[in-house]
């Protein structure tokens, strides 16, 4: 269900919904929506009920505490004039100040066990409680019926609750994940080229002039000193991968792979993916793009899970936090505020999530698979068509990519304050709602890709899926430089990016992309096709630091 959010935004970073806070004091149910419009209006035809004996896995999510204090803290945290600027919290500090209380967390565990559910996972920030149980026990615990429905637009059935869940607790839950599978996550920015259309690849160093991850490093960084050393990067993935595909890529391009890679299951989801039953194209290209930009990372962690709440909470509570995160997946949540607690914790702990903006051109209200690219808490990454000076060469020119996602928020997110000045100078931008993308990078069908142990392809795949992990790798260079300068990581970078974009050094910090269109025309400075543009070497690194 697309719902317009009535949120209050900080001057620096968007925060929780005022409406949700009010509801928290009034309702013993949950603070987010779970029921889909299509099951209420009859668009999704009922085809029966789930078997009472079927086992399901759910995640019971508790709301954060001390919201007003958290808002005040984040305001100071991202105010360059504040003594608290970039003084981030550890997971333990965040939990003590803003996480659910131990008393409430224990109450949820007791509630689950009393209702015949088995607790199979807990989290150190006391936000998630993972449980399994039969459909019969889930229906009894949450006072609902689990129905089966025919999907209105896809050739499959899905399961979903017939009403909003309620719980016998003295306080509301934030969300209950896993009650439906109406929306199946899919790559947000991965498309295969129509083979009847010729390739635009002319200057890559890979086969058939295709671009490698290292070509993006040469074009957008252009230096050698920074490699991402000391930095850890995390990738959102809904399926596992076959690392042999990654090894094949590096063997074929004759480059070393020296970064330790961890495949981490966040909820029991398999970390393996073998063709033909599983396609790991997205997973492999995410790794090659991040590693191409930052070949000296201390670690690359692939977070594999079946739900957004499982993946994001694992990222927010990792024993070693990844300051740079990337997602190339999109899904359609029943409530677009569901992931706000995790995004807010990212900001408090100095983490930044890059999100592919999609490959369907300009956003419009009928597009249901935009989320979370239009969420104010993420850095939305659009697409361009890049030309370099030659194989492994410097940036030469760039235009907006026709399929790159961008536009005005389809979920009605209010415009964050750090974007208001940019929107005022953008004729197509909304002055009241969130605009995207924030930045962009090459996404045309000009890449070398290995996947599924079925061989490698040149210039067949493109998309903002390539641009988002590249930006995460670039942020690793930024954070390496920041640490070398004696500072902390730079954290949530959108406020800084927009301040730089409005500044006098913009031309030396970004490649301003002024031609091409995704439905919106690229213009001078900020636009709805390419955001602020692509990174301009060390200029942007120094400016953000």
């Amino acid at each position: 269900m697309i719902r317009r959010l009535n949120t209050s935004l900080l001057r620096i970073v968007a925060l929780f919904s005022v409406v949700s806070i009010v509801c928290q004091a009034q309702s013993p149910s949950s603070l987010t929506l779970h029921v889909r419009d299509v099951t209420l209006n009859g668009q999704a035809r009922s085809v029966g009920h789930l078997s009472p004996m079927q086992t399901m896995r759910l995640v019971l999510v508790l709301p954060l505490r001390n919201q007003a204090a958290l808002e005040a803290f984040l305001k100071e945290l991202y105010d360059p004039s504040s003594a608290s600027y970039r003084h981030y919290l550890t997971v333990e500090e965040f939990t003590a100040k803003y996480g659910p209380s131990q008393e409430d967390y224990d109450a949820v565990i007791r509630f689950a066990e009393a209702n015949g559910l088995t607790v199979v996972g807990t989290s150190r920030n006391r936000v998630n409680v993972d449980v399994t149980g039969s459909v019969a026990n889930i229906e009894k615990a949450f006072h609902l019926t689990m129905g089966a429905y025919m999907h209105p637009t896809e050739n499959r059935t899905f399961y979903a609750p017939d009403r909003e869940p309620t719980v016998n607790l003295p306080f509301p839950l934030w969300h209950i994940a896993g009650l439906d599978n109406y929306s199946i996550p899919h790559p947000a920015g991965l498309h295969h080229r129509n083979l009847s259309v010729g390739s635009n690849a002319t200057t890559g160093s890979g086969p058939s002039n295709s671009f490698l991850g290292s070509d993006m490093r040469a074009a957008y960084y252009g230096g050698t000193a920074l490699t991402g050393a000391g930095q850890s990067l995390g990738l959102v993935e809904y399926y596992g991968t076959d690392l042999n595909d990654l090894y094949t890529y590096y063997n074929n391009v004759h480059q070393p792979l020296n970064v330790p890679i961890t495949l981490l299951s966040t909820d029991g989801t398999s970390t393996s993916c073998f063709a033909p039953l599983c396609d790991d194209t997205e997973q492999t290209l995410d790794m090659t793009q991040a590693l191409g930009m930052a070949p000296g990372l201390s670690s690359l962690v692939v977070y594999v899970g079946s739900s957004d709440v499982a993946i994001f909470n694992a990222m927010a509570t990792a024993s070693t936090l990844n300051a740079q995160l990337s997602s190339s997946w999109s899904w359609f949540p029943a409530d677009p505020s569901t992931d706000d607690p995790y995004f807010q914790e990212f900001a408090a702990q100095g983490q930044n999530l890059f999100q592919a903006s999609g490959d369907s051109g300009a956003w419009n209200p009928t597009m249901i698979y935009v989320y979370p690219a239009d969420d104010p808490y993420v850095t939305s990454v659009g697409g361009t068509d890049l030309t370099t000076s030659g194989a492994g060469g410097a940036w030469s020119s760039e235009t907006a990519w026709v399929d790159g996602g961008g536009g005005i928020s389809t979920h009605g997110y209010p415009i964050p304050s750090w974007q208001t000045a940019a929107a005022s100078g953008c004729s197509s931008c909304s002055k009241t709602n969130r605009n995207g993308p924030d930045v962009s990078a090459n996404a045309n069908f000009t890449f070398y890709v290995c996947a599924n142990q079925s061989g490698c392809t040149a210039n067949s795949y493109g998309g903002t899926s390539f641009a988002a992990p590249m930006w995460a790798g670039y942020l690793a260079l930024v954070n390496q430089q920041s640490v070398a300068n004696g500072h902390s990581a730079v954290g949530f970078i959108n406020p800084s990016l927009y301040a730089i974009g409005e500044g006098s050094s913009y031309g030396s910090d970004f490649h301003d992309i002024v031609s091409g269109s995704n439905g919106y025309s690229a213009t001078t400075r900020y636009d709805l096709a390419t955001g602020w543009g692509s990174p301009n070497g060390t200029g942007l690194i120094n400016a953000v630091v």
Side-chain angles (χ1 to χ4, degrees), residues 510-525:
F510 286 97
H511 295 297
D512 189 10
I513 301 163
V514 297
S515 62
S517 170
N518 66 347
Y520 293 103
S521 295
T523 63
T524 302
R525 296 214 177 202

Side-chain angles (χ1 to χ4, degrees), residues 156-404:
R156 65 180 179 91
T157 59
F158 69 96
Y159 59 82
D162 67 333
R163 70 199 73 178
E164 289 298 327
T166 56
V167 293
N168 296 326
L169 286 166
F171 54 87
L173 293 175
W174 175 256
H175 188 71
I176 302 170
L179 284 176
D180 80 88
N181 67 341
Y182 175 78
S183 172
I184 297 176
H186 66 272
L190 175 62
H191 278 208
H192 197 282
R193 177 172 61 88
N194 184 337
L195 297 182
S196 65
V197 179
S199 169
N200 289 332
T202 58
T203 58
S205 59
S208 301
N209 299 317
S210 59
F211 280 131
L212 308 178
S214 57
D215 289 319
M216 299 300 97
R217 174 177 167 85
Y220 292 131
Y221 169 48
T224 58
L226 299 174
T227 63
Q231 295 297 312
S232 180
L233 191 150
L235 297 173
V236 172
E237 304 294 354
Y238 281 90
Y239 300 95
T241 189
D242 180 359
L243 285 177
N244 285 323
D245 292 315
L246 181 67
Y247 303 148
T248 297
Y249 172 94
Y250 274 94
N251 286 334
N252 287 359
V253 301
H254 307 293
Q255 292 179 357
L257 174 58
N258 299 318
V259 177
I261 298 171
T262 300
L263 305 181
L264 177 66
S265 177
T266 62
D267 57 4
T269 300
S270 174
T271 60
S272 299
C273 179
F274 298 107
L277 299 178
C278 181
D279 182 350
D280 71 348
T281 304
E282 178 64 70
Q283 300 88 301
T284 304
L285 74 87
D286 285 346
M287 289 186 282
T288 60
Q289 287 297 101
L291 293 167
M293 179 59 70
L297 289 169
S298 63
S299 68
L300 176 68
V301 183
V302 180
Y303 291 85
V304 182
S306 60
S307 73
D308 46 347
V309 302
I311 296 173
F312 288 141
N313 198 60
M315 287 177 156
T317 58
S319 57
T320 299
L321 292 176
N322 317 106
Q324 35 277 317
L325 306 167
S326 177
S327 167
S328 295
W329 297 80
S330 181
W331 57 98
F332 179 39
D335 191 317
S337 65
T338 297
D339 294 317
D340 282 356
Y342 312 107
F343 296 161
Q344 195 168 27
E345 186 168 356
F346 290 164
Q349 296 173 171
Q351 299 171 276
N352 192 90
L353 174 65
F354 292 93
Q355 171 64 42
S357 68
D359 295 350
S360 298
W363 297 339
N364 65 69
T366 67
M367 291 182 179
I368 62 174
Y369 285 101
V370 170
Y371 183 86
D374 60 337
D375 192 296
Y377 290 99
V378 308
T379 302
S380 182
V381 184
T384 68
D385 180 7
L386 169 71
T387 300
T388 62
S389 62
W395 182 94
S396 179
S397 65
E398 208 163 4
T399 61
W401 187 49
V402 64
D403 294 325

